[in-house]
Amino acid sequence: MEATLEKSIELKLTAVQRLRTEIGKVIVGQQEVVDQLLICLLARGHALLEGVPGLGKTLLVKTLADGTELAFKRVQFTPDLMPGDILGTEILEEDHSTGKRFFKFQRGPIFTNILLADEINRTPPKTQAALLESMQETAVTVAGETMDLPKPYFVLATQNPIEQAGTYPLPEAQLDRFLLNIHIDYPQEAEEIAILRATTGSDGEQAQPCLDPTQLQEMQRLVRDIHISDDLYHYVARLVRATRPGAGGNSQLEAWIKWGAGPRAGQALLLAAKARAFLRRRLAVTRADIRALLLPVLRHRVLLSFHAQAEGVGMEQVLQELQKACPEPGRD
């Protein structure tokens, strides 16, 4: 069984490496960010990308889509965007042969494989909520009829963390449906020079399709077969439960956290860890996989208290304390 799984992983990773190469033609550096996006694809999860303007969030998602044969749609979220602009609307049409009128549903951009929700926090909650059913059920309900979306289906959303005037913060229920919250930071100096060279010349590279939906879905099934030990199941449960007020055992966490993560956080952490192990040609999840993904999985699921904000305590410091409160398996 393990030999068969290992052989299957090796075969499928060839396509992933080609996809990395294609993305690298356009995106300079940002290897960890690219890794986390690939983890979302392999774990069937959605991603929320945060970063200041000009760091290439939109370009990264478009390049990822270009490197696959998945259908891609982009929606620019604005204050006047309505749910029908995303889901679609019913249009009154006339049959010219009979003269009869009837309603025909015109599908919106949500009917795709990859939906880029650009600046998702710039639209009101009513429109943001239009994505909730699609993110959870891979389906939408319009005029009482439920319609399945194409599979695989991903929402890759972007938002600017600094310009908050005129924005509508995402509700906790929607944040929880993003597998990872991916932060994009400024590039290193050498990377920035490479970006300037690549983007100010006459010729520009473009990623070529190298991964089809069938291949991706086969990889997603393989990811589910990656092994996790009982110790790590218990460890992840302890980590998630320790974020909840009233869990006891750590007064510092109690003071810093106003609202903790739910069971979906543990599911996200385990699935993302499986995908990371897959990308590294391993048949089992390790403690390193859990450590690497703890921040992007929990930072949008844990609400810090006023006390923590007043002291300037960030999620990184909270998670360091969390790891102290929950020692890794095999360590004292």
Side-chain angles (χ1 to χ4, degrees):
M1 178 66 181
E2 286 191 358
T4 303
L5 179 59
E6 186 173 14
K7 185 177 180 181
S8 298
I9 290 175
E10 285 292 336
L11 289 172
K12 300 304 178 187
L13 278 176
T14 303
V16 176
Q17 294 307 323
R18 286 202 304 269
L19 179 57
R20 282 184 186 276
T21 301
E22 292 300 321
I23 293 173
K25 291 179 180 178
V26 181
I27 303 298
V28 178
Q30 303 289 5
Q31 290 304 311
E32 185 176 355
V33 172
V34 172
D35 260 5
Q36 291 179 9
L37 268 181
L38 292 176
I39 285 170
C40 283
L41 292 188
L42 293 171
R44 303 175 190 167
H46 311 290
L48 177 62
L49 287 81
E50 288 190 326
V52 300
L55 294 185
K57 300 183 295 296
T58 302
L59 178 62
L60 175 59
V61 174
K62 184 179 183 304
T63 302
L64 176 68
D66 287 342
T68 70
E69 295 178 17
L70 303 178
F72 170 72
K73 297 285 180 63
R74 172 185 175 182
V75 178
Q76 186 68 44
F77 279 60
T78 57
D80 59 349
L81 192 73
M82 298 297 291
D85 297 327
I86 302 172
L87 303 178
T89 56
E90 287 191 318
I91 297 176
L92 185 63
E93 292 196 351
E94 183 177 338
D95 187 332
H96 296 292
S97 60
T98 63
K100 290 184 177 180
R101 293 184 176 184
F102 60 94
F103 282 101
K104 181 180 179 181
F105 180 68
Q106 182 172 343
R107 294 187 170 196
I110 201 171
F111 288 87
T112 186
N113 295 123
I114 297 178
L115 178 69
L116 170 55
D118 214 1
E119 295 191 283
I120 190 172
N121 59 333
R122 296 210 169 274
T123 201
K126 181 178 181 180
T127 305
Q128 292 174 358
L131 292 175
L132 279 173
E133 183 183 8
S134 74
M135 294 173 72
Q136 184 64 30
E137 308 294 341
T138 322
V140 294
T141 301
V142 180
E145 182 182 354
T146 300
M147 292 165 280
D148 291 331
L149 295 173
K151 293 181 181 179
Y153 173 73
F154 306 98
V155 173
L156 304 180
T158 70
Q159 68 177 15
N160 173 3
I162 58 172
E163 188 185 348
Q164 296 301 314
T167 62
Y168 303 85
L170 291 175
E172 300 301 323
Q174 186 157 12
L175 283 173
D176 196 33
R177 283 168 172 80
F178 286 104
L179 184 81
L180 300 181
N181 184 349
I182 303 172
H183 279 202
I184 302 180
D185 208 347
Y186 292 107
Q188 301 294 323
E189 183 177 358
E191 294 173 346
E192 192 155 356
I193 293 170
I195 291 170
L196 295 175
R197 291 184 189 278
T199 57
T200 57
S202 56
D203 297 325
E205 291 277 8
Q206 184 172 354
Q208 299 300 314
C210 60
L211 183 67
D212 62 47
T214 301
Q215 287 176 305
L216 179 55
Q217 287 178 302
E218 288 173 356
M219 291 182 200
Q220 290 172 339
R221 285 191 287 270
L222 285 174
V223 164
R224 296 278 175 148
D225 291 332
I226 298 294
H227 178 70
I228 299 179
S229 68
D230 284 341
D231 282 347
L232 288 183
Y233 277 117
H234 288 285
Y235 177 53
V236 167
R238 287 199 306 272
L239 284 170
V240 173
R241 293 177 66 82
T243 66
R244 299 168 190 166
N250 190 294
S251 58
Q252 193 65 78
L253 288 176
E254 289 278 348
W256 285 344
I257 296 176
K258 180 180 180 181
W259 197 259
R264 191 180 281 123
Q267 296 169 339
L269 187 52
L270 289 172
L271 286 173
K274 284 188 173 192
R276 188 176 188 271
F278 177 91
L279 288 174
R280 282 156 178 75
R281 291 181 166 85
R282 285 191 270 103
L283 302 182
V285 170
T286 66
R287 295 175 301 189
D289 296 320
I290 303 297
R291 282 198 305 271
L293 291 162
L294 194 59
L295 182 58
V297 166
L298 289 184
R299 69 176 142 209
H300 59 299
R301 292 183 165 96
V302 173
L303 185 62
L304 299 186
S305 66
F306 176 77
H307 178 68
Q309 295 175 39
E311 290 188 351
V313 174
M315 272 305 301
E316 291 84 355
Q317 189 172 345
V318 170
L319 293 185
Q320 287 174 5
E321 188 66 29
L322 178 64
Q323 288 173 296
K324 290 179 185 176
C326 303
E328 292 181 349
R331 293 187 177 184
D332 293 334

